[in-house]
Amino acid sequence: MNNLSNSLKKFVSNKNTVTILGVVLCIIILYFGYNFRINQKVSLTKVPYANQTIQPRTEITSAMVSYMSVPASFLVGSYHNSAEDIVGKYSNYNTIIAEGSLFYKDLVIDSTVLPNSSFIDIEEGYTLINYRVDMDSTYANSMMPNDYIKIYFKARNDEGKIMFGKFLDKIKILDVKDSSGRHVFENTAEARTPAYMLFALPEDFHLLFRKALYLESSYGVELILVPNTEELTQEDAVVVSTEEIKKFIEDRTQMVSKEEIEAKTDDKVTNEDVTNNEEQNG
């Protein structure tokens, strides 16, 4: 027993032996550590993905969801890892979930918090106007949300001359909808015809806008939508300023009540007061 103990002590105390053992131990650690990291990189994780393109504001059904196995190292960001967390919810209003994409959490929302993009970022005190349009008045459906437009005013004055000028400027388009109230540009797989354009104006300009429409039949008023990049001219017309247009409208509607103006123009435009964005988004 003593001989075995002495032999072991000599073996361990030998510098060459210790060096060899250290090298072997390092190799073993490196080997297993390397394999562990490699396995981490190539180990497969099963995740749900969109097996078809999902348009904005679309309810996600089980038929839209499939599973695939991918290396864990490929998975980045915050994503859903179970179809149970996805089916029955909606794709967000501002995005398309591409075919083959994972269901990232910011792309999938509950219907109760699905916002109306028309009401987002409207300043307090502005009035949302839902103005009737068509393919011609939107330049063949080329006016899109977040674009800016100008509105020109054309009418016949008391002398029978045509007056023409820029009425409103730098108006941001909030949304364009079809006759069914669907967003025209949210679905890339379906052609939709514009029927309403939504934009917001301060209350005084909203009333002036309504008053201009009120004079449509008596003075032949036309409100012409123009992309912000273009300028219009009108031959054989008296060119007037915005202030002159405003005075022309106000002088001829000062004795008309707000209720009468709204009743007569509701076929062209409806509006909604936007004073609390949170209520609208809810």
Tab-separated table of all heavy atoms in Angstrom, residues 142-180:
chain	number	residue	atom	x	y	z
A	142	SER	N	-52.955	58.205	-57.455
A	142	SER	CA	-51.529	58.365	-57.154
A	142	SER	C	-51.285	59.144	-55.869
A	142	SER	O	-50.135	59.320	-55.457
A	142	SER	CB	-50.817	59.071	-58.308
A	142	SER	OG	-51.332	60.382	-58.482
A	143	MET	N	-52.351	59.635	-55.222
A	143	MET	CA	-52.217	60.359	-53.955
A	143	MET	C	-52.333	59.375	-52.810
A	143	MET	O	-53.381	58.740	-52.627
A	143	MET	CB	-53.286	61.444	-53.846
A	143	MET	CG	-53.167	62.516	-54.908
A	143	MET	SD	-54.506	63.739	-54.749
A	143	MET	CE	-54.038	64.902	-56.031
A	144	MET	N	-51.286	59.265	-52.044
A	144	MET	CA	-51.201	58.219	-51.024
A	144	MET	C	-51.113	58.818	-49.623
A	144	MET	O	-50.749	59.982	-49.458
A	144	MET	CB	-49.971	57.341	-51.291
A	144	MET	CG	-49.939	56.725	-52.671
A	144	MET	SD	-48.430	55.765	-52.959
A	144	MET	CE	-48.632	54.466	-51.747
A	145	PRO	N	-51.438	58.017	-48.589
A	145	PRO	CA	-51.270	58.488	-47.210
A	145	PRO	C	-49.855	58.989	-46.963
A	145	PRO	O	-48.882	58.407	-47.464
A	145	PRO	CB	-51.588	57.246	-46.378
A	145	PRO	CG	-52.534	56.459	-47.230
A	145	PRO	CD	-52.056	56.678	-48.641
A	146	ASN	N	-49.768	60.073	-46.213
A	146	ASN	CA	-48.509	60.753	-45.858
A	146	ASN	C	-47.991	61.659	-46.972
A	146	ASN	O	-47.003	62.378	-46.760
A	146	ASN	CB	-47.417	59.772	-45.429
A	146	ASN	CG	-47.783	59.030	-44.165
A	146	ASN	OD1	-48.328	59.620	-43.230
A	146	ASN	ND2	-47.490	57.742	-44.124
A	147	ASP	N	-48.623	61.636	-48.152
A	147	ASP	CA	-48.312	62.636	-49.166
A	147	ASP	C	-48.944	63.971	-48.753
A	147	ASP	O	-49.898	64.003	-47.977
A	147	ASP	CB	-48.872	62.225	-50.524
A	147	ASP	CG	-48.086	61.096	-51.166
A	147	ASP	OD1	-47.006	60.764	-50.653
A	147	ASP	OD2	-48.576	60.534	-52.169
A	148	TYR	N	-48.426	65.050	-49.323
A	148	TYR	CA	-49.000	66.370	-49.087
A	148	TYR	C	-49.648	66.876	-50.370
A	148	TYR	O	-49.132	66.636	-51.470
A	148	TYR	CB	-47.942	67.353	-48.604
A	148	TYR	CG	-47.548	67.150	-47.160
A	148	TYR	CD1	-46.586	66.206	-46.812
A	148	TYR	CD2	-48.151	67.881	-46.140
A	148	TYR	CE1	-46.228	66.001	-45.486
A	148	TYR	CE2	-47.809	67.684	-44.814
A	148	TYR	CZ	-46.844	66.742	-44.495
A	148	TYR	OH	-46.505	66.546	-43.173
A	149	ILE	N	-50.774	67.552	-50.221
A	149	ILE	CA	-51.487	68.074	-51.381
A	149	ILE	C	-51.821	69.562	-51.181
A	149	ILE	O	-51.724	70.094	-50.070
A	149	ILE	CB	-52.796	67.304	-51.637
A	149	ILE	CG1	-53.740	67.426	-50.428
A	149	ILE	CG2	-52.517	65.859	-51.991
A	149	ILE	CD1	-55.139	66.891	-50.687
A	150	LYS	N	-52.214	70.192	-52.279
A	150	LYS	CA	-52.758	71.541	-52.268
A	150	LYS	C	-54.198	71.448	-52.759
A	150	LYS	O	-54.561	70.513	-53.480
A	150	LYS	CB	-51.966	72.460	-53.192
A	150	LYS	CG	-50.467	72.510	-52.922
A	150	LYS	CD	-49.759	73.240	-54.041
A	150	LYS	CE	-48.254	73.178	-53.859
A	150	LYS	NZ	-47.521	73.793	-54.985
A	151	ILE	N	-55.011	72.412	-52.370
A	151	ILE	CA	-56.377	72.480	-52.880
A	151	ILE	C	-56.561	73.831	-53.555
A	151	ILE	O	-56.361	74.884	-52.933
A	151	ILE	CB	-57.413	72.291	-51.760
A	151	ILE	CG1	-57.249	70.904	-51.122
A	151	ILE	CG2	-58.828	72.445	-52.314
A	151	ILE	CD1	-58.238	70.621	-50.009
A	152	TYR	N	-56.905	73.794	-54.846
A	152	TYR	CA	-57.166	75.008	-55.605
A	152	TYR	C	-58.670	75.294	-55.637
A	152	TYR	O	-59.494	74.376	-55.575
A	152	TYR	CB	-56.630	74.880	-57.030
A	152	TYR	CG	-55.143	75.122	-57.132
A	152	TYR	CD1	-54.227	74.136	-56.756
A	152	TYR	CD2	-54.641	76.327	-57.606
A	152	TYR	CE1	-52.864	74.352	-56.845
A	152	TYR	CE2	-53.279	76.558	-57.705
A	152	TYR	CZ	-52.395	75.562	-57.311
A	152	TYR	OH	-51.038	75.783	-57.392
A	153	PHE	N	-58.984	76.567	-55.730
A	153	PHE	CA	-60.369	77.031	-55.713
A	153	PHE	C	-60.698	77.648	-57.071
A	153	PHE	O	-59.962	78.498	-57.581
A	153	PHE	CB	-60.533	78.078	-54.607
A	153	PHE	CG	-61.898	78.691	-54.491
A	153	PHE	CD1	-62.867	78.137	-53.670
A	153	PHE	CD2	-62.210	79.854	-55.200
A	153	PHE	CE1	-64.129	78.718	-53.558
A	153	PHE	CE2	-63.461	80.446	-55.085
A	153	PHE	CZ	-64.423	79.869	-54.269
A	154	LYS	N	-61.802	77.207	-57.641
A	154	LYS	CA	-62.258	77.764	-58.919
A	154	LYS	C	-63.739	78.091	-58.782
A	154	LYS	O	-64.530	77.273	-58.290
A	154	LYS	CB	-62.040	76.759	-60.041
A	154	LYS	CG	-62.459	77.263	-61.416
A	154	LYS	CD	-62.180	76.190	-62.470
A	154	LYS	CE	-62.631	76.667	-63.858
A	154	LYS	NZ	-62.410	75.614	-64.883
A	155	ALA	N	-64.142	79.293	-59.193
A	155	ALA	CA	-65.546	79.711	-59.078
A	155	ALA	C	-65.821	80.822	-60.077
A	155	ALA	O	-64.903	81.364	-60.716
A	155	ALA	CB	-65.840	80.179	-57.656
A	156	ARG	N	-67.110	81.170	-60.188
A	156	ARG	CA	-67.506	82.280	-61.049
A	156	ARG	C	-68.002	83.408	-60.151
A	156	ARG	O	-68.904	83.214	-59.336
A	156	ARG	CB	-68.606	81.842	-62.012
A	156	ARG	CG	-68.888	82.828	-63.136
A	156	ARG	CD	-69.837	82.234	-64.158
A	156	ARG	NE	-69.255	81.098	-64.838
A	156	ARG	CZ	-68.446	81.174	-65.896
A	156	ARG	NH1	-68.111	82.370	-66.378
A	156	ARG	NH2	-67.973	80.090	-66.456
A	157	ASN	N	-67.389	84.583	-60.282
A	157	ASN	CA	-67.749	85.691	-59.390
A	157	ASN	C	-69.037	86.377	-59.847
A	157	ASN	O	-69.680	85.956	-60.826
A	157	ASN	CB	-66.596	86.689	-59.263
A	157	ASN	CG	-66.237	87.337	-60.591
A	157	ASN	OD1	-67.032	87.343	-61.538
A	157	ASN	ND2	-65.040	87.898	-60.659
A	158	ASP	N	-69.393	87.445	-59.163
A	158	ASP	CA	-70.666	88.125	-59.462
A	158	ASP	C	-70.685	88.746	-60.850
A	158	ASP	O	-71.757	89.005	-61.412
A	158	ASP	CB	-70.943	89.200	-58.405
A	158	ASP	CG	-71.156	88.596	-57.030
A	158	ASP	OD1	-71.698	87.468	-56.971
A	158	ASP	OD2	-70.773	89.229	-56.029
A	159	GLU	N	-69.519	89.020	-61.411
A	159	GLU	CA	-69.440	89.592	-62.758
A	159	GLU	C	-69.420	88.516	-63.836
A	159	GLU	O	-69.317	88.817	-65.030
A	159	GLU	CB	-68.188	90.470	-62.909
A	159	GLU	CG	-68.236	91.777	-62.142
A	159	GLU	CD	-68.018	91.578	-60.653
A	159	GLU	OE1	-67.193	90.706	-60.289
A	159	GLU	OE2	-68.689	92.268	-59.859
A	160	GLY	N	-69.472	87.266	-63.416
A	160	GLY	CA	-69.465	86.171	-64.378
A	160	GLY	C	-68.082	85.727	-64.808
A	160	GLY	O	-67.942	84.867	-65.679
A	161	LYS	N	-67.044	86.323	-64.221
A	161	LYS	CA	-65.669	85.942	-64.562
A	161	LYS	C	-65.215	84.771	-63.699
A	161	LYS	O	-65.612	84.639	-62.535
A	161	LYS	CB	-64.725	87.121	-64.364
A	161	LYS	CG	-64.993	88.286	-65.315
A	161	LYS	CD	-63.989	89.409	-65.086
A	161	LYS	CE	-64.220	90.560	-66.052
A	161	LYS	NZ	-63.243	91.665	-65.843
A	162	ILE	N	-64.376	83.952	-64.288
A	162	ILE	CA	-63.826	82.823	-63.535
A	162	ILE	C	-62.689	83.307	-62.650
A	162	ILE	O	-61.778	84.011	-63.120
A	162	ILE	CB	-63.312	81.722	-64.483
A	162	ILE	CG1	-64.467	81.119	-65.274
A	162	ILE	CG2	-62.593	80.633	-63.688
A	162	ILE	CD1	-64.043	80.110	-66.315
A	163	MET	N	-62.763	82.978	-61.387
A	163	MET	CA	-61.678	83.291	-60.458
A	163	MET	C	-61.017	81.986	-60.033
A	163	MET	O	-61.671	80.958	-59.863
A	163	MET	CB	-62.214	84.046	-59.240
A	163	MET	CG	-63.351	83.386	-58.510
A	163	MET	SD	-64.073	84.409	-57.188
A	163	MET	CE	-62.658	84.646	-56.130
A	164	PHE	N	-59.695	82.067	-59.906
A	164	PHE	CA	-58.928	80.844	-59.684
A	164	PHE	C	-57.723	81.156	-58.809
A	164	PHE	O	-57.066	82.177	-58.976
A	164	PHE	CB	-58.466	80.273	-61.032
A	164	PHE	CG	-57.706	78.987	-60.933
A	164	PHE	CD1	-58.370	77.776	-60.831
A	164	PHE	CD2	-56.316	78.982	-60.966
A	164	PHE	CE1	-57.667	76.584	-60.757
A	164	PHE	CE2	-55.609	77.806	-60.895
A	164	PHE	CZ	-56.282	76.597	-60.791
A	165	GLY	N	-57.438	80.270	-57.851
A	165	GLY	CA	-56.262	80.477	-57.014
A	165	GLY	C	-56.056	79.338	-56.035
A	165	GLY	O	-56.924	78.471	-55.860
A	166	LYS	N	-54.906	79.371	-55.394
A	166	LYS	CA	-54.582	78.351	-54.395
A	166	LYS	C	-55.369	78.645	-53.125
A	166	LYS	O	-55.306	79.735	-52.568
A	166	LYS	CB	-53.084	78.352	-54.106
A	166	LYS	CG	-52.615	77.178	-53.252
A	166	LYS	CD	-51.160	77.326	-52.858
A	166	LYS	CE	-50.267	77.374	-54.071
A	166	LYS	NZ	-48.832	77.524	-53.701
A	167	PHE	N	-56.103	77.650	-52.658
A	167	PHE	CA	-57.004	77.808	-51.513
A	167	PHE	C	-56.341	77.330	-50.214
A	167	PHE	O	-56.189	78.081	-49.257
A	167	PHE	CB	-58.290	77.037	-51.808
A	167	PHE	CG	-59.332	77.102	-50.734
A	167	PHE	CD1	-59.494	78.236	-49.947
A	167	PHE	CD2	-60.179	76.033	-50.520
A	167	PHE	CE1	-60.471	78.294	-48.970
A	167	PHE	CE2	-61.162	76.083	-49.543
A	167	PHE	CZ	-61.298	77.207	-48.766
A	168	LEU	N	-55.911	76.079	-50.184
A	168	LEU	CA	-55.260	75.496	-49.009
A	168	LEU	C	-53.969	74.813	-49.447
A	168	LEU	O	-53.886	74.278	-50.559
A	168	LEU	CB	-56.183	74.477	-48.322
A	168	LEU	CG	-57.519	75.023	-47.797
A	168	LEU	CD1	-58.410	73.891	-47.328
A	168	LEU	CD2	-57.288	76.024	-46.677
A	169	ASP	N	-52.988	74.801	-48.553
A	169	ASP	CA	-51.662	74.295	-48.924
A	169	ASP	C	-51.121	73.382	-47.829
A	169	ASP	O	-51.524	73.467	-46.663
A	169	ASP	CB	-50.715	75.478	-49.138
A	169	ASP	CG	-49.470	75.084	-49.917
A	169	ASP	OD1	-49.388	73.916	-50.363
A	169	ASP	OD2	-48.579	75.925	-50.066
A	170	LYS	N	-50.221	72.490	-48.218
A	170	LYS	CA	-49.508	71.604	-47.295
A	170	LYS	C	-50.466	70.801	-46.418
A	170	LYS	O	-50.353	70.766	-45.195
A	170	LYS	CB	-48.534	72.416	-46.431
A	170	LYS	CG	-47.433	73.091	-47.230
A	170	LYS	CD	-46.487	73.883	-46.340
A	170	LYS	CE	-45.406	74.550	-47.154
A	170	LYS	NZ	-44.493	75.371	-46.326
A	171	ILE	N	-51.402	70.147	-47.067
A	171	ILE	CA	-52.360	69.298	-46.365
A	171	ILE	C	-51.875	67.854	-46.443
A	171	ILE	O	-51.654	67.315	-47.530
A	171	ILE	CB	-53.761	69.412	-46.996
A	171	ILE	CG1	-54.253	70.857	-46.908
A	171	ILE	CG2	-54.749	68.468	-46.306
A	171	ILE	CD1	-55.514	71.108	-47.680
A	172	LYS	N	-51.717	67.232	-45.289
A	172	LYS	CA	-51.219	65.860	-45.250
A	172	LYS	C	-52.367	64.872	-45.400
A	172	LYS	O	-53.359	64.926	-44.675
A	172	LYS	CB	-50.495	65.605	-43.925
A	172	LYS	CG	-49.864	64.213	-43.823
A	172	LYS	CD	-49.129	64.054	-42.504
A	172	LYS	CE	-48.473	62.684	-42.397
A	172	LYS	NZ	-47.751	62.529	-41.115
A	173	ILE	N	-52.229	63.959	-46.351
A	173	ILE	CA	-53.229	62.907	-46.532
A	173	ILE	C	-53.056	61.872	-45.421
A	173	ILE	O	-51.973	61.313	-45.239
A	173	ILE	CB	-53.074	62.228	-47.904
A	173	ILE	CG1	-53.259	63.244	-49.034
A	173	ILE	CG2	-54.076	61.086	-48.050
A	173	ILE	CD1	-52.963	62.681	-50.409
A	174	LEU	N	-54.121	61.630	-44.680
A	174	LEU	CA	-54.070	60.652	-43.597
A	174	LEU	C	-54.449	59.259	-44.073
A	174	LEU	O	-53.916	58.266	-43.580
A	174	LEU	CB	-54.995	61.084	-42.458
A	174	LEU	CG	-54.672	62.445	-41.833
A	174	LEU	CD1	-55.707	62.795	-40.778
A	174	LEU	CD2	-53.275	62.440	-41.223
A	175	ASP	N	-55.361	59.203	-45.015
A	175	ASP	CA	-55.805	57.899	-45.499
A	175	ASP	C	-56.595	58.085	-46.779
A	175	ASP	O	-57.116	59.178	-47.053
A	175	ASP	CB	-56.676	57.200	-44.445
A	175	ASP	CG	-56.581	55.685	-44.524
A	175	ASP	OD1	-56.106	55.173	-45.563
A	175	ASP	OD2	-56.960	55.007	-43.559
A	176	VAL	N	-56.671	57.011	-47.554
A	176	VAL	CA	-57.540	56.952	-48.725
A	176	VAL	C	-58.318	55.648	-48.619
A	176	VAL	O	-57.722	54.580	-48.468
A	176	VAL	CB	-56.743	57.000	-50.048
A	176	VAL	CG1	-57.701	56.987	-51.237
A	176	VAL	CG2	-55.851	58.229	-50.098
A	177	LYS	N	-59.657	55.737	-48.696
A	177	LYS	CA	-60.496	54.550	-48.521
A	177	LYS	C	-61.394	54.342	-49.736
A	177	LYS	O	-61.699	55.280	-50.466
A	177	LYS	CB	-61.351	54.681	-47.263
A	177	LYS	CG	-60.517	54.729	-45.975
A	177	LYS	CD	-61.411	54.728	-44.740
A	177	LYS	CE	-60.592	54.737	-43.467
A	177	LYS	NZ	-61.429	54.655	-42.249
A	178	ASP	N	-61.822	53.091	-49.905
A	178	ASP	CA	-62.762	52.804	-50.979
A	178	ASP	C	-64.188	52.975	-50.470
A	178	ASP	O	-64.414	53.385	-49.329
A	178	ASP	CB	-62.517	51.411	-51.564
A	178	ASP	CG	-62.796	50.276	-50.589
A	178	ASP	OD1	-63.347	50.545	-49.486
A	178	ASP	OD2	-62.477	49.123	-50.911
A	179	SER	N	-65.162	52.657	-51.292
A	179	SER	CA	-66.557	52.890	-50.932
A	179	SER	C	-67.028	52.014	-49.778
A	179	SER	O	-68.052	52.301	-49.156
A	179	SER	CB	-67.457	52.657	-52.152
A	179	SER	OG	-67.285	51.331	-52.651
A	180	SER	N	-66.280	50.955	-49.479
A	180	SER	CA	-66.628	50.077	-48.359
A	180	SER	C	-65.878	50.450	-47.084
A	180	SER	O	-65.994	49.755	-46.076
A	180	SER	CB	-66.321	48.616	-48.718
A	180	SER	OG	-67.081	48.198	-49.836
